[in-house]
């Protein structure tokens, strides 16, 4: 339907009229385009909305909201310093203007309109026949224009976005000219922006802070924000030399006034313990994280104490747990990392933002810990090019949790999902007795640019013998070569950093495909493509082999089948870099059984550049475990044996290409 065009149909005109009436005669222009006549009394104040996020870098638009799980709806308030001739707020899969669910406020020069609309694959805007945004209030104040409305999580309207847990990509714009019809609205000509938000938040009340609570501010030292779009700023902070052991019970952001839309996210890392001679002293530093002047010791400041992203609320630990810092075995040095997002290239702006740690000297019953789930950072796990949707899966097996977790298990209360630029979705599930019993965390619209620590609505109890599976979905349509796993921003990761208690020695529970079976894959594809292999030549490394492949649907599908059903190499690591003694059995098709365990230590130091800069320093001891992914139907390209770490059962596949 094209609104207000000459060929408008009668039912469309009726819909437009009903929309006009249903929205308080479309604001009556009284508050939106105030003109002559006696002033109206201000409306009664709306109930405060607990969540807020600036939409645009200039701070001219702000979104506030509340969540009602009982009514399955969100209430939102859009504030504009100057609404001009209208406002646009929308939601789409990844912030694109096409296939977007839109809320529109516009005027034709004399009258104002409010409505639920949508855009098609060409960005053409149409008023929705099912109006699911309900206007509650609209008014002007000296501070700006306020628009209050609500919408259900799910509307059963195919043109509406389903609001669910995970990242929501909001698009926004201000209309600079009046329009007589939505058909005149060309989204591509608007100055639109994208803001990412966790719209649905836990509805549990925050626990009270202890009476002896103290605070420590880890702040940037009056930094001049560089006049470039993206900057990662690193600053070292030193704790008192004899600081005793404490528990962090809450942390929150401290943002310099006026910089709310520029400070994108921040993290505080604890450095490696000063028992390491190289870490007895960390040189003072405050500057770009990718600078050659940065002290090398900062690469070993990787233990996350706090992480905040735009729109995040204060982070509370459970009442009986806290994150330890200070005391024996910890470092006196911290690293603050601040991501400045300055697309307007503002110059001369000063900043002293950071994170405020709330802590107590009365340590709680349990210490909180952080565990890595997902895939090992290795080129063995790769993504074929030109794939609209490709999945990789990492396992934390029953053998590992059985050995490493206490009898009562652990309780996961938060998690931080992580991929690089190709990541589109992340999902971690808990399996018990061979069945999926709970989703730990899922984000169907994940963005590497928004990696906030997410509180779970309710804690997840992981027992010995349980399995945790983390699956990441990627898009490589813009790439012509394989994307291997690794630390570079153009390489990929699939990780869920879960926050849990009580703390155990299990720091890393991840997997990758068995290298021997991957070599069988390379041999198969090369034979299929008529590429001769040289048995006496030095074998190129995995990255070179992936780079040399001729990528087509067949090679991509065979690799997918391999990853889904080949044996895996399991990393079940203690925080001391020693492996847990898990049983590692590989069962062959011809009932041959042997046990194989390899242990070695490797260290990686990595700095992201381009879009984000992080430091990953890992010491891994891993056990080479010949188990496999959950069983899939035998296919012509599946390995000879599919072994399930979930059920412990093996299936034999006959006439398989990779056998």
């Amino acid at each position: 339907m094209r609104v207000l065009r000459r060929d408008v149909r009668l039912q469309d005109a009726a819909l437009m009229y009903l929309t006009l009436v249903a929205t308080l005669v479309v604001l009556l222009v009284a508050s939106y385009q105030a003109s002559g006549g006696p002033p109206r009394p201000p409306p009664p104040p709306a109930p405060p909305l607990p969540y807020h996020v600036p939409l645009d870098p200039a701070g001219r638009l702000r979104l506030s909201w509340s969540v009602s799980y009982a009514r399955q709806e969100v209430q939102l308030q859009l504030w504009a310093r100057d609404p001009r001739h209208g406002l646009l707020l929308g939601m789409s899969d990844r912030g694109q203007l096409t296939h977007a669910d839109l809320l529109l406020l516009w005027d034709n020069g004399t009258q104002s309109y409010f409505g639920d609309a949508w855009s098609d694959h060409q960005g053409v805007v149409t008023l929705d026949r099912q109006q699911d945004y309900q206007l509650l209030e609209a008014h002007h104040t000296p501070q700006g224009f306020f628009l209050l409305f609500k919408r259900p999580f799910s509307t059963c309207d195919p043109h509406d976005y389903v609001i669910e847990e995970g990242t929501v990509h909001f698009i926004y714009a201000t209309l600079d000219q009046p329009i007589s019809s939505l058909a005149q609205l060309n989204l591509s000509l608007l100055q639109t922006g994208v803001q990412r938000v966790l719209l649905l938040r836990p509805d549990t009340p925050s626990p009270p802070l202890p009476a002896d609570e103290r605070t420590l501010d880890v702040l940037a030292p009056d930094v001049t924000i560089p006049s470039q779009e993206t900057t990662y700023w690193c600053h070292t902070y030193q704790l008192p030399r004899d600081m005793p052991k404490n528990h962090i019970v809450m942390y929150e952001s401290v943002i310099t006034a006026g910089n709310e839309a520029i400070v994108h996210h921040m993290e505080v890392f604890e450095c490696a313990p000063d028992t390491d001679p190289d870490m007895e002293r960390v040189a003072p530093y405050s500057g770009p994280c990718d600078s050659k002047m940065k002290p090398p010791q900062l690469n070993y400041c990787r233990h996350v104490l706090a992480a905040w992203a735009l729109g995040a609320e204060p982070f509370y630990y459970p009442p009986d747990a806290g994150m330890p810092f200070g005391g024996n075995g910890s470092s006196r040095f911290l690293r603050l990392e601040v991501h400045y997002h300055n697309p307007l290239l503002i110059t001369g702006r000063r900043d002293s933002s950071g994170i405020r740690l709330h802590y107590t000297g009365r340590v709680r019953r349990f210490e909180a810990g952080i565990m890595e789930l997902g895939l090992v950072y290795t080129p063995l796990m790769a993504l074929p090019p030109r794939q609209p949707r490709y999945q990789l899966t990492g396992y934390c097996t029953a053998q590992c949790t059985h050995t490493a977790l206490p009898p009562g298990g652990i309780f996961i209360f938060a998690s931080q999902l992580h991929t690089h630029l190709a990541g589109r979705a992340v999902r971690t599930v808990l399996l018990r007795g061979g069945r999926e019993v709970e989703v730990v965390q899922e984000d169907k619209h994940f963005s590497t640019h928004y990696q906030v620590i997410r509180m779970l609505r309710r804690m997840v109890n992981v027992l010995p013998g349980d399995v945790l599976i983390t699956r990441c979905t990627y898009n490589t349509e813009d790439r012509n070569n394989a994307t291997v796993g690794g630390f570079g921003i153009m390489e990929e990761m699939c990780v869920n950093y879960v926050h849990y208690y009580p703390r155990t020695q299990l720091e890393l529970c991840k997997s990758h495909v068995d290298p021997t079976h991957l070599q069988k894959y390379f041999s198969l594809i090369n034979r299929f493509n008529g590429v001769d292999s040289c048995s006496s030549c030095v074998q190129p490394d995995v990255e070179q082999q992936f780079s040399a492949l001729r990528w087509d649907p067949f090679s991509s599908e065979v690799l997918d089948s391999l990853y889904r059903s080949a044996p895996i190499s399991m990393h079940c690591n203690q925080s001391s870099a020693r492996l847990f003694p898990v049983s590692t059995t590989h069962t062959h098709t011809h009932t041959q059984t042997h046990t194989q365990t390899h242990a070695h230590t490797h260290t990686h130091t990595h700095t992201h550049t381009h879009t984000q800069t992080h430091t990953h320093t890992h010491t891994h001891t891993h056990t080479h475990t010949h188990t496999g992914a959950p069983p899939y139907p035998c296919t012509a390209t599946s390995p000879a044996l599919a072994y399930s770490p979930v059920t412990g059962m093996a299936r034999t596949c006959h006439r398989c290409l990779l056998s």
Side-chain angles (χ1 to χ4, degrees):
M1 181 185 72
R2 303 297 181 90
V3 179
L4 297 183
R5 288 183 58 178
R6 290 181 180 178
D7 59 347
V8 67
R9 293 178 296 179
L10 179 61
Q11 62 180 4
D12 295 334
L15 173 62
M16 191 66 196
Y17 173 76
L18 291 174
T19 303
L20 185 71
V21 173
T23 57
L24 307 180
V25 193
V26 196
L27 312 184
L28 296 176
V29 197
S31 62
Y32 178 39
Q33 292 177 319
S35 56
R40 294 191 172 194
L49 302 180
Y51 310 120
H52 314 273
V53 64
L55 290 178
D56 67 317
R60 299 189 183 96
L61 294 170
R62 183 179 67 239
L63 183 68
S64 304
W65 73 96
S66 63
V67 179
S68 173
Y69 289 99
R71 295 189 297 273
Q72 290 287 289
E73 68 180 22
V74 289
Q75 189 174 115
L76 303 105
Q77 179 179 267
L78 183 60
W79 169 84
R81 184 177 299 167
D82 180 5
R84 304 286 292 168
H85 290 278
L87 301 169
L88 177 148
L89 183 71
M91 294 176 283
S92 62
D93 178 39
R94 306 206 59 79
Q96 69 273 25
L97 299 177
T98 55
H99 298 294
D101 178 9
L102 304 173
L103 176 140
L104 278 165
L105 174 71
W106 77 99
D107 73 55
N108 60 8
T110 59
Q111 184 65 284
S112 302
Y113 302 89
F114 171 96
D116 181 352
W118 56 277
S119 63
D120 63 13
H121 66 285
Q122 295 180 325
V124 176
V125 178
T126 302
L127 194 68
D128 204 328
R129 294 177 178 275
Q130 181 176 316
Q131 294 289 300
D132 293 304
Y133 288 98
Q134 181 182 345
L135 179 65
L136 302 176
E137 184 181 307
H139 63 276
H140 259 298
T141 72
Q143 290 75 37
F145 175 72
F146 292 85
L147 188 68
L148 184 67
F149 52 95
K150 65 179 182 179
R151 209 210 80 169
F153 294 169
S154 179
T155 65
C156 298
D157 183 340
H159 297 305
D160 283 355
Y161 183 93
V162 177
I163 298 173
E164 53 194 347
E165 291 190 12
T167 305
V168 176
H169 292 72
F170 277 104
I171 57 177
Y172 59 86
T174 301
L175 307 185
D176 293 327
Q177 300 293 331
I179 56 174
S180 59
S181 164
L182 288 186
Q184 294 180 306
L185 189 59
N186 188 336
L187 296 182
S188 64
L189 298 180
L190 298 178
Q191 290 187 348
T192 58
V194 178
Q195 184 60 279
R196 300 169 184 89
V197 173
L198 285 180
L199 199 58
L200 300 188
R201 306 293 180 90
D203 52 355
T204 53
S206 301
L209 294 174
D212 67 336
E213 169 251 352
R214 302 175 65 184
T215 62
L216 175 70
D217 288 353
V218 184
L219 308 177
D222 195 28
V223 170
T224 300
I225 300 175
S227 56
Q228 59 191 35
E229 181 171 353
T230 300
T231 299
Y232 283 82
W233 195 273
C234 284
H235 170 65
T236 55
Y237 186 94
Q238 184 173 343
L239 299 173
R241 179 173 294 275
D242 297 321
M243 186 174 188
K245 181 178 180 178
N246 295 276
H247 272 182
I248 299 171
V249 295
M250 189 267 273
Y251 61 81
E252 60 185 332
S253 64
V254 179
I255 309 296
T256 299
N259 293 346
E260 293 85 356
I262 299 178
V263 179
H264 187 269
H265 71 257
M266 302 179 289
E267 293 183 272
V268 175
F269 300 89
E270 184 181 59
C271 297
D274 52 18
T275 53
D276 184 336
D278 294 332
M279 300 301 293
E280 290 182 357
R281 177 169 177 78
V282 177
Y285 178 75
S286 184
C289 296
D290 57 356
S291 170
K292 294 181 180 179
M293 302 301 294
K294 184 184 71 173
Q297 294 100 323
L298 288 188
N299 292 331
Y300 297 90
C301 303
R302 65 178 183 88
H303 177 59
V304 178
L305 291 182
W308 173 91
L310 196 66
E313 297 301 306
F315 183 94
Y316 287 83
Y317 282 87
D320 51 354
M323 175 63 73
F325 83 116
N328 294 332
S330 67
S331 175
R332 294 185 296 115
F333 300 98
L334 309 178
R335 173 169 65 92
L336 171 69
E337 181 177 297
V338 183
H339 172 200
Y340 295 112
H341 179 59
N342 185 16
L344 300 181
L345 308 183
I346 298 171
T347 61
R349 184 71 63 86
R350 312 288 293 188
D351 184 72
S352 298
S353 299
I355 290 180
R356 176 170 295 150
L357 305 175
H358 296 250
Y359 66 96
T360 174
R362 299 176 60 184
V363 296
R364 293 181 168 181
R365 179 184 177 189
F366 298 114
E367 289 190 352
I370 300 175
M371 184 194 311
E372 291 188 36
L373 306 176
L375 288 171
V376 178
Y377 312 131
T378 170
L380 296 170
M381 305 303 297
L383 305 169
R386 301 179 292 277
Q387 299 295 309
R389 187 175 186 271
Y390 200 88
Q391 292 184 326
L392 295 177
T393 305
Y395 300 90
C396 179
T397 62
Q399 296 96 323
C400 186
T401 62
H402 177 78
T403 303
L405 300 187
I410 60 173
F411 294 88
I412 299 175
F413 59 88
S415 80
Q416 184 179 23
L417 309 176
H418 182 76
T419 75
H420 288 176
L421 298 179
R424 295 294 182 268
V426 185
R427 187 176 196 256
T428 297
V429 297
L430 171 69
L431 285 81
R432 182 171 297 151
R435 294 185 176 183
E436 180 181 313
V437 296
E438 196 158 4
V439 177
V440 178
Q441 183 69 266
E442 181 174 22
D443 192 338
K444 297 178 181 178
H445 309 280
F446 175 82
S447 170
T448 189
H449 307 294
Y450 189 67
Q451 303 195 33
V452 65
I453 296 178
R454 305 146 188 253
M455 295 293 297
L456 306 188
R457 283 195 68 197
R458 64 188 187 90
M459 289 188 287
V460 176
N461 184 205
V462 183
L463 298 175
D466 286 351
V467 176
L468 291 161
I469 298 179
T470 300
R471 178 166 294 151
C472 294
T473 303
Y474 304 91
N475 181 294
T476 61
E477 288 181 297
D478 61 343
R479 303 187 182 191
N480 294 318
N481 299 308
T483 301
V484 298
F487 293 92
I489 192 63
M490 295 306 294
E491 297 172 329
E492 267 308 330
M493 293 184 174
C494 179
V495 186
N496 187 351
Y497 301 96
V498 293
H499 295 240
Y500 72 95
Y501 75 92
R503 187 177 183 179
T504 72
Q505 287 299 307
L506 182 59
E507 185 178 81
L508 184 147
C509 194
K510 303 163 79 172
S511 68
H512 62 71
V513 71
D514 171 44
T516 303
H517 281 71
L518 184 61
Q519 288 304 319
K520 292 181 179 180
Y521 163 79
F522 289 133
S523 297
L524 168 67
I525 298 301
N526 287 331
R527 290 199 312 268
F528 184 82
N529 290 325
V531 178
D532 295 330
S533 60
C534 174
S535 58
S536 61
C537 299
V538 176
Q539 181 174 287
D541 62 33
V542 171
E543 291 184 66
Q544 292 172 324
Q545 292 182 82
F546 272 123
S547 179
L549 281 183
R550 183 187 306 166
W551 289 104
D552 54 29
F554 177 73
S555 56
S556 299
E557 290 171 9
V558 174
L559 183 63
D560 179 65
S561 179
L562 174 80
Y563 283 150
R564 288 177 179 270
S565 51
I568 60 173
S569 184
M570 184 65 215
H571 293 227
C572 186
N573 293 25
Q574 300 183 41
S575 55
S576 62
R578 297 178 180 177
L579 64 89
F580 279 95
V582 298
S583 65
T584 59
T585 303
H586 180 190
T587 306
H588 290 281
T589 306
H590 302 293
T591 66
Q592 298 175 355
T593 303
H594 69 273
T595 300
Q596 188 173 5
T597 302
H598 305 290
H600 64 269
T601 302
H602 57 272
T603 302
H604 295 288
T605 301
H606 163 67
T607 301
H608 287 190
T609 55
H610 304 293
T611 304
Q612 54 183 331
T613 303
H614 285 306
T615 301
H616 296 280
T617 306
H618 296 281
T619 302
H620 292 332
T621 303
H622 76 266
T623 170
H624 192 99
T625 306
H626 286 276
T627 61
Y632 287 82
C634 296
T635 67
T637 58
S638 60
L641 182 73
Y643 175 86
S644 168
V646 178
T647 64
M649 299 174 61
R651 298 182 58 221
T652 301
C653 301
H654 302 285
R655 300 177 63 186
C656 296
L657 294 180
L658 299 184
S659 58

